[in-house]
């Protein structure tokens, strides 16, 4: 048994296409500052016809494999709420297209945006019980709401892959966590729908209630006190949600922080999310990567409080400490290239992709349109069988 388990590598992938929220605001005759300032989003990553959670997850794992030895990985846990099959785990497609060895077990996990954290905690337990184990965790989603709905400007898509090992190079996960489950209908997506249903204002309330419950449980289980933390990172359905959540946590702890102080504290965790949009299960880990990659100061030894929320709802508060030398295992320039390399599309092209669907009658379709830039794409569907292919990433993504 070991307690020294955590994130040894972490990498982001997103789609090849992006919509500036100014374009959406213009199409809906809305003041763009409602999106840029009010909800704190500037762009949303949009999946092309040839992109889905499998292509995104494979790209994120490949980034890790390109710089860190993943031989010896025996488990791949893929968390998503936008899976591609009711039965076969998306991770098995990822296993296939990456050519991983057969002695890697694969499973898919679901509980709205919380499942990535469930996967991380399961990975941690596996490595705690046998420190020779290495686990790949992938949190990946394509967030889609109805056109014209309040959720539309919060859409996004992306994957975060993490390698979980003993003696990690980036973040050591601490043992205490606090959890909170509450059966509520704040956001959901019945099997027949491609877009989520949401009770927007109530979902914010449910998130806050979950934060309060998870924090209370964390403290009741000997978790650290508020003042023991250097940073906080929250699930970010839109970046302003983190500010609201943190103000709530401050108040719960009898503190008082003005909006500017909170905005300053949350800022480094929001740089990437602001440009990608909601990535559901991946969102909190996009926030963690943003914190680690965009703060110029050395964060070694700093404690980060993490609040993961998944509608429906399950929340978990946990913490980690940053490992000295973590910077050597990150690649902010690559992340910048991934974000800057996306192709901006107009409103018409976005609407086409919003409505795009694979055949549901068993007919075959070859996808000629190429949006993916990161080395993996959905090439088509043949008699209800998805066909994935690898290609040489475009130079923008290679950096
Ligand atoms: P809305 O009702 O269209 O927006 O949608 P609003 O009128 O509440 O305005 C939003 C903010 O913009 C407000 O600020 C306005 O004042 C401001 P706030 O009061 O919140 O501080 N505003 C402006 N600011 C500057 N200039 C302007 C301007 N106009 C307005 N001109 C809502 C907001 C979040 C409800 C909507 O986007 C939505 O339904 N989103 C989807 C649901 C969601 O993200 N919920 C969050 C909690 S649930 C969660 O996190 C789980 C989730 O990730 C799913 C999962 O778990 O799988 C969603």
């Amino acid at each position: 048994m070991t307690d020294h388990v955590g994130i040894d590598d972490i990498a982001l992938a997103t789609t090849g296409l992006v919509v500036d929220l100014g374009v959406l605001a213009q199409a809906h005759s809305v003041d763009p500052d409602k999106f840029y300032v009010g909800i704190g989003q500037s762009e949303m990553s949009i999946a092309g016809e040839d992109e889905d959670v499998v292509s995104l997850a494979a790209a994120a794992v490949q980034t890790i494999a390109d710089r860190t030895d993943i031989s010896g990985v025996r488990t791949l846990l893929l968390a998503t709420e936008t899976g591609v099959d009711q039965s076969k785990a998306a991770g098995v497609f990822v296993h296939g297209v990456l050519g991983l060895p057969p002695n890697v077990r694969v499973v898919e996990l679901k509980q709205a945006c919380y499942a990535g954290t469930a996967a991380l905690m399961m990975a941690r337990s596996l490595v705690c019980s046998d420190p020779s184990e290495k686990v790949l965790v992938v949190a990946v989603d394509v967030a889609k709401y109805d056109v014209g709905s309040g959720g539309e400007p919060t859409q996004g898509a992306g994957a975060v892959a993490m390698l979980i090992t003993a003696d990690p190079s980036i973040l050591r996960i601490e043992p205490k966590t606090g959890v909170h489950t509450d059966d509520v209908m704040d956001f959901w997506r019945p099997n027949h729908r491609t877009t989520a249903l949401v009770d927007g204002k109530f979902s914010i309330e449910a998130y806050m209630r979950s934060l309060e419950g998870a924090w209370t449980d964390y403290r009741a289980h000997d978790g650290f006190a508020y003042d023991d933390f250097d940073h906080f990172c929250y699930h970010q359905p839109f970046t302003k949600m983190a500010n609201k959540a943190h103000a709530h946590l401050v108040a719960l702890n009898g503190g008082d922080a003005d909006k500017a102080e909170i905005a300053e504290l949350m800022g480094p965790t929001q740089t990437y999310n602001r440009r990608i949009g909601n990535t559901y299960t991946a969102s909190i880990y996009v926030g963690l990567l943003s914190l680690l990659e965009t703060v110029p100061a050395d964060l070694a030894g700093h404690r980060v409080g993490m609040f993961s929320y998944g509608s429906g709802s399950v929340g978990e508060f946990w913490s980690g400490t940053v490992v000295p030398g973590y910077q050597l295992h990150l690649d902010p320039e690559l992340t910048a290239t991934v974000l800057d390399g996306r192709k901006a599309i107009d409103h018409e092209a976005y609407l086409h992709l919003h409505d795009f669907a694979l055949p549901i009658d068993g007919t075959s379709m070859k996808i000629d349109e190429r949006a993916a830039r990161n080395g993996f794409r959905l090439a088509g569907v043949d008699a209800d069988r998805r066909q994935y292919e690898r290609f040489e990433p475009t130079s923008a993504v290679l950096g």
Side-chain angles (χ1 to χ4, degrees):
M1 292 277 281
T2 179
D3 266 353
H4 299 161
V5 174
I7 302 173
D8 194 55
D9 200 347
I10 176 168
L12 168 80
T14 190
T15 59
L17 305 175
V18 64
V19 171
D20 189 293
L21 289 186
V23 170
L24 193 68
Q26 194 181 17
H28 291 304
S29 305
V30 169
D31 179 352
D33 277 349
K34 175 171 180 186
F35 303 153
Y36 293 148
V37 181
I39 60 168
Q41 294 301 129
S42 58
E43 295 168 334
M44 52 186 188
S45 281
I46 297 295
E49 293 181 3
D50 63 346
E51 295 179 299
D52 65 11
V53 294
V54 172
S55 65
L56 292 172
V61 173
Q62 186 61 50
T63 300
I64 289 184
D66 286 344
R67 64 190 181 205
T68 303
D69 180 14
I70 63 163
S71 62
V73 165
R74 283 169 48 77
T75 306
L76 189 160
L77 302 175
L78 187 147
T80 188
E81 56 180 294
T82 45
V84 296
D85 193 283
Q86 293 284 27
S87 182
K88 179 167 173 167
V92 177
F93 288 106
V94 174
H95 181 284
V97 75
L98 285 170
L100 295 178
N103 59 349
V104 178
R105 65 163 88 83
V106 180
V107 73
E108 182 172 314
L109 294 90
K110 180 176 69 183
Q111 178 13 62
C113 302
Y114 166 70
T117 298
L120 187 69
M121 292 302 152
M122 286 177 192
R124 177 176 164 267
S125 298
L126 281 170
V127 181
C128 273
S129 60
D130 179 355
S132 71
E133 289 274 341
K134 292 181 189 174
V135 180
L136 274 168
V137 167
V138 191
V140 55
D141 270 304
V142 175
K144 212 168 163 186
Y145 294 90
D146 284 342
V147 168
S149 69
E152 187 186 13
T154 71
Q155 294 174 132
V160 173
M162 294 176 273
L163 181 65
I164 310 306
T165 66
D167 295 323
S169 302
I170 294 178
L171 190 85
R172 187 174 286 183
I173 301 172
E174 297 180 305
K176 305 292 181 188
T177 83
V179 293
H180 183 83
T181 294
D182 193 7
D183 182 3
V184 288
M185 294 301 277
D186 61 328
F187 165 105
W188 66 107
R189 185 167 68 84
N191 286 346
H192 64 90
R193 290 186 62 99
T194 55
T195 51
L197 294 168
V198 64
D199 185 344
K201 302 284 186 233
F202 174 58
S203 72
I204 294 174
E205 244 178 84
Y207 181 123
M208 298 293 209
R209 224 155 71 194
S210 183
L211 169 61
E212 189 166 338
W215 175 255
T216 306
D217 187 56
Y218 174 75
R219 292 289 290 136
H221 285 86
D222 291 332
F224 292 101
Y226 178 83
D227 288 338
D228 295 326
F229 290 90
D230 302 289
H231 311 273
F232 290 89
C233 179
Y234 295 88
H235 165 56
Q236 294 172 41
F238 51 95
T239 65
K240 265 293 182 64
M241 187 68 225
N243 300 34
K244 290 178 193 287
H246 193 61
H248 191 50
L249 191 71
V250 170
L252 280 174
N253 286 281
D256 185 20
D258 66 26
K259 283 192 171 172
E261 278 174 75
I262 288 179
E264 197 183 331
L265 190 66
M266 292 297 108
T269 68
Q270 296 169 330
T271 310
Y272 295 165
N273 285 284
R274 176 181 284 279
R275 296 192 59 191
I276 297 174
N278 196 353
T279 51
Y280 293 158
T281 47
S283 158
I284 184 173
Y285 300 103
V286 176
L288 176 64
L289 186 66
S290 179
L291 172 71
L292 296 171
E293 287 193 341
T294 65
V295 175
D298 187 1
L299 303 182
H302 287 207
R303 173 167 294 118
V304 187
M306 304 281 295
F307 176 63
S308 177
Y309 176 73
S311 283
S313 70
V314 180
E316 182 157 356
F317 188 94
W318 63 277
S319 70
T321 53
V322 181
V323 178
Y326 68 98
Q327 302 96 326
L328 301 171
H329 304 271
L330 296 171
D331 192 347
E333 278 173 29
L334 179 65
T335 310
T337 310
V338 165
L339 295 178
D340 296 344
R342 293 170 299 171
K343 181 181 163 211
I345 55 170
D346 62 17
H347 191 248
E348 197 186 335
Y350 153 70
L351 285 180
H352 163 76
L353 288 169
H354 193 279
D355 290 345
F356 175 77
L358 294 173
I360 53 167
D361 58 0
T363 52
S364 298
M365 177 193 264
K366 192 168 166 295
I367 301 176
D368 295 320
E369 200 66 36
R370 298 179 85 93
R373 306 164 73 86
N374 53 25
F376 298 89
R377 65 186 298 274
L378 176 67
V381 56
D382 183 16
D384 280 327
R385 291 168 172 82
R386 285 180 184 238
Q387 318 281 314
Y388 292 97
E389 67 184 22
R390 270 185 110 121
F391 62 94
E392 206 45 51
T394 62
S395 55
V397 175
L398 280 171

